[in-house]
Amino acid sequence: MRRTPDRLIVHIGLGAFHRSHQAWFTARAHDGDRWAITAYSGRRPDAADALQAQDGLYTLIERGEGGDRATVMDIITEAVDGGDVDHLMRSVADPHTSVVTLTITEAGYEWSDELEADRLLLAGVDRSADDHPATALGRLALALDSRRLAGAGPVALVSCDNLPDNGAVLRAALRPLLDAIGPDTAAWVEESVGFVSSSVDRITPRSTTADEETAEALTGFRDPCVVVTEPFADWTMSDDFPAGRPAWETAGARIVDDVEPFERRKLWLLNGAHTLLAAAGPGRGHAFVDEAFADPVLRSSVEGFWDECVRHLPDDLDLDRYRADLASRFGNSAIRHSLEQIATGAEAKLRVRILPVIAAERAAGRSGTAAAVALAAHLARLSDGRTPEHAAVRSALERIADASVDDAVVDLVTDLITTSRATSAPTH
């Protein structure tokens, strides 16, 4: 029997991670039966079409070294093509909607030609026109204006993307779009919308045909929308929900006054290490996190990077335990997390996962060598074996950093590129 909810969450960026994380936490909350999720896909409708074809139901497989456990999830009651902006506007304007969550990747918040085109479109918006914004943020801005016009009351926006202070980043990225719609809209958002920062953590690789077969063996149903994830899950967020929220803390989430230390711990130690392995692993013949982490050379690189990270994190974050847990999670051979998947959007990820550690180390009078290994490995892959030129390395680093780069860092990375090539040899 399907749930009969009276509260709604709108999610933008339907994918496997949302279904393994925010949807899972909501379904497990003690008041989860009161909530439903309407989820919108990103640039392509495929995920929404496939999920809607099975009435929003999907199999979640939690995969550990001890075996698989399957749950049929019914928390997503509607899956919609993200291009259906009219539908999004109606959902956000629904007075039953209290929360909008987003997983649009780090790149979705960066100003681009597409966002500028949406800003110009919104500045001349015609409610009767079919020409709608193309970006997730442009569509969200228009949907928030629809909520204002409907008098549906306040709402919370929760960024679940891997960015420091992602609630503030979302607020800043939306502001030019809201200003383009008009001052009334921008003022209403400032008064009525909560911007929640959050740190999310659950390793969720792409599913495979074999995973569909596993779902069928465990549940009796072949599921093309199956999601496979690890048993571990973590969610830390600030408390800025003017219209209420699910009792996520009863499912293990953490509501805190200051998310920033938890964000840095996760972004640097987990995501930063993943980015390092994704840059350096393929050159040593590895395709997945577990096999790259088992390589002594790469394991040593990750441990050195972690040593640099923890010098700049508060002691009360139980860092020794967190590192031990990460080592166990990375070594989980039952979860085949693709390095190619992690490497997607590498430069945006390097900017927030690696560069802050280098900056902190250099500010403390140290070189930041361990963190710079990730930059060097990334650039070594791009240079196709050519001798690195200082000018080319500087240009690449400044593009990644979106700022000028210290001469000493350029020298360090140039030297490390040569070193990374010398140690890059297939191990199997």
Side-chain angles (χ1 to χ4, degrees):
M1 180 176 178
R2 295 302 298 269
R3 61 185 60 239
T4 55
D6 59 359
R7 307 291 299 278
L8 181 64
I9 296 171
V10 170
H11 181 75
I12 300 174
L14 173 61
F17 181 75
H18 165 66
R19 286 180 281 148
S20 77
H21 192 272
Q22 299 95 47
W24 180 85
F25 272 98
T26 303
R28 286 171 55 89
H30 76 62
D31 59 348
D33 58 349
R34 293 190 57 202
W35 293 85
I37 297 173
T38 296
Y40 294 84
S41 61
R43 293 183 177 275
R44 296 172 57 87
D46 308 44
D49 291 347
L51 195 58
Q52 189 61 26
Q54 48 196 54
D55 200 24
L57 298 171
Y58 65 94
T59 308
L60 181 70
I61 297 176
E62 294 177 74
R63 177 165 292 165
E65 296 285 6
D68 293 342
R69 183 179 70 177
T71 305
V72 176
M73 305 287 291
D74 68 350
I75 188 70
I76 297 176
T77 55
E78 195 170 14
V80 186
D81 176 2
D84 191 343
V85 182
D86 289 329
H87 194 290
L88 176 66
M89 292 165 65
R90 290 194 299 272
S91 293
V92 174
D94 187 329
H96 294 98
T97 297
S98 302
V99 178
V100 178
T101 56
L102 298 93
T103 50
I104 60 174
T105 78
E106 295 93 328
Y109 300 81
E110 296 182 353
W111 200 256
S112 63
D113 291 343
E114 283 187 310
L115 277 170
E116 176 61 17
D118 279 355
R119 187 189 69 80
L120 294 173
L121 174 67
L122 291 169
V125 71
D126 178 353
R127 301 290 172 201
S128 64
D130 293 328
D131 192 11
H132 286 319
T135 66
L137 294 185
R139 294 167 179 172
L140 176 58
L142 190 58
L144 288 171
D145 190 44
S146 296
R147 186 174 182 89
R148 175 186 71 88
L149 293 170
V155 68
L157 306 183
V158 186
S159 172
C160 300
D161 288 294
N162 287 319
L163 290 163
D165 200 10
N166 48 20
V169 171
L170 174 58
R171 183 198 297 267
L174 275 175
R175 186 58 193 251
L177 301 164
L178 299 168
D179 286 341
I181 296 174
D184 290 345
T185 302
W188 179 84
V189 168
E190 284 299 314
E191 295 170 0
S192 303
V193 176
F195 287 85
V196 177
S197 287
S198 77
S199 172
V200 297
D201 190 357
R202 196 170 206 189
I203 295 172
T204 306
R206 291 193 184 103
S207 59
T208 65
T209 301
D211 296 326
E212 295 178 22
E213 295 169 354
T214 299
E216 185 173 18
L218 292 172
T219 68
F221 298 97
R222 184 72 174 239
D223 183 2
C225 298
V226 62
V227 176
V228 176
T229 192
E230 63 175 336
F232 179 93
D234 188 79
W235 195 4
T236 304
M237 71 195 88
S238 58
D239 195 1
D240 190 5
F241 294 88
R245 59 170 176 80
W248 284 313
E249 65 273 25
T250 64
R254 190 184 296 111
I255 312 297
V256 299
D257 294 330
D258 185 8
V259 176
E260 193 264 347
F262 297 93
E263 288 176 335
R264 279 191 290 147
R265 183 182 71 172
K266 189 262 180 175
L267 276 172
W268 296 356
L269 294 176
L270 186 147
N271 298 121
H274 269 175
T275 296
L276 190 161
L277 292 172
R284 293 183 59 79
H286 305 303
F288 298 97
V289 167
D290 63 298
E291 62 188 33
F293 192 65
D295 181 329
V297 171
L298 298 180
R299 173 72 180 256
S300 178
S301 294
V302 169
E303 294 283 1
F305 173 65
W306 284 345
D307 287 343
E308 291 187 344
C309 292
V310 298
R311 294 173 186 146
H312 310 285
L313 292 170
D315 293 335
D316 60 1
L317 291 180
D318 199 6
L319 296 170
D320 289 342
R321 172 65 180 273
Y322 191 76
R323 285 178 64 160
D325 286 345
L326 281 181
S328 176
R329 294 166 66 193
F330 284 8
N332 180 0
S333 59
I335 290 286
R336 307 313 310 275
H337 198 182
S338 164
L339 298 176
E340 180 184 6
Q341 179 185 357
I342 295 167
T344 303
E347 293 192 356
K349 292 175 179 178
L350 288 163
R351 187 175 301 128
V352 298
R353 302 175 180 185
I354 302 296
L355 288 176
V357 180
I358 296 175
E361 280 290 275
R362 293 192 62 76
R366 293 182 290 268
S367 67
T369 299
V373 166
L375 291 170
H378 172 70
L379 295 181
R381 293 183 66 193
L382 298 182
S383 60
D384 297 326
R386 296 190 298 273
T387 301
E389 299 284 346
H390 276 62
V393 172
R394 178 180 295 281
S395 176
L397 291 177
E398 290 184 345
R399 182 180 66 248
I400 293 169
D402 197 25
S404 61
V405 176
D406 186 328
D407 289 345
V409 174
V410 178
D411 293 341
L412 173 63
V413 172
T414 305
D415 291 342
L416 284 170
I417 291 173
T418 303
T419 303
S420 71
R421 289 185 182 138
T423 58
S424 292
T427 58
H428 57 75

